[in-house]
Amino acid sequence: DAMNRQACNALLKTLEEPRNGAHIVLLTRQPSRLPATVRSRCQLLRIPAPDRATALAWLDAQSPGQRSGWEAALDVLGNAPLEALDADTGHLRAIRDDTTHLLQEAVGGRLDIVRRAEQWAKEDLPLRLRALEQALVSRVLVGHGTELASVPLSGAVGALKIATALGLLDEVRELQRLLATPVNRPLALEGALWRLNAAVAADAATLKNGR
């Protein structure tokens, strides 16, 4: 799903006329972002990630005594225990806390969008976008009564309507895809933060007025 349209079209020719005895494995977290022409020529095998409790239990067994660190790692990376095991949990905790702070600033109408866009574009933008992605995913999961994935992050966007969270999630994932291109990162991020700020503020105000 990280391929651009030209790459997908080039791959399609290989899929249509594969070499005898060849097997091609495509990995994607978002099959829906692949063109239908590619998906229709593949056999879909769903390999679910472990749930959060299972991932934390496994990480605890690998390196006991770091529960809060593992939780922070999964808050940023999602349920990716193998990746978390090799990560700097202290650094990921700082990323998670800064992302939570940004979302709280947006809810409170205090977000300095230009400064934040410049800061994030310079420092660990892929990880920061993953933390933001996990916050929005958590909000959707909570709304559907599914297991809470990230308490600090999902709590910061608790006022978001599910439809709003889904729209912002699409935008964050598109921005993640654009990181592989020569995009102007501060400018692209600034636009995304403006929309995030407006959506969070609007839904927070609706919730307040509803009470």
Side-chain angles (χ1 to χ4, degrees), residues 6-86:
Q6 290 75 19
C8 285
N9 289 336
L11 174 65
L12 185 59
K13 184 171 180 61
T14 301
L15 294 177
E16 289 173 337
E17 301 176 6
R19 189 178 74 240
N20 288 338
H23 292 80
I24 300 173
V25 180
L26 305 180
L27 303 180
T28 175
R29 291 191 304 152
Q30 302 173 61
S32 62
R33 295 182 70 93
L34 285 167
T37 50
V38 171
R39 295 199 308 272
S40 67
R41 288 163 174 78
C42 298
Q43 179 182 3
L44 180 61
L45 300 175
R46 297 188 181 277
I47 305 176
D51 60 34
R52 187 177 176 88
T54 302
L56 285 172
W58 182 81
L59 288 167
D60 281 338
Q62 304 305 308
S63 183
Q66 296 190 53
R67 183 75 177 199
S68 62
W70 297 135
E71 288 177 344
L74 297 186
D75 284 346
V76 174
L77 302 175
N79 286 342
L82 287 174
E83 188 176 359
L85 188 62
D86 294 328

Side-chain angles (χ1 to χ4, degrees), residues 27 42 112 121 126 146 150 163:
L27 303 180
C42 298
D112 186 337
T146 310
S150 168

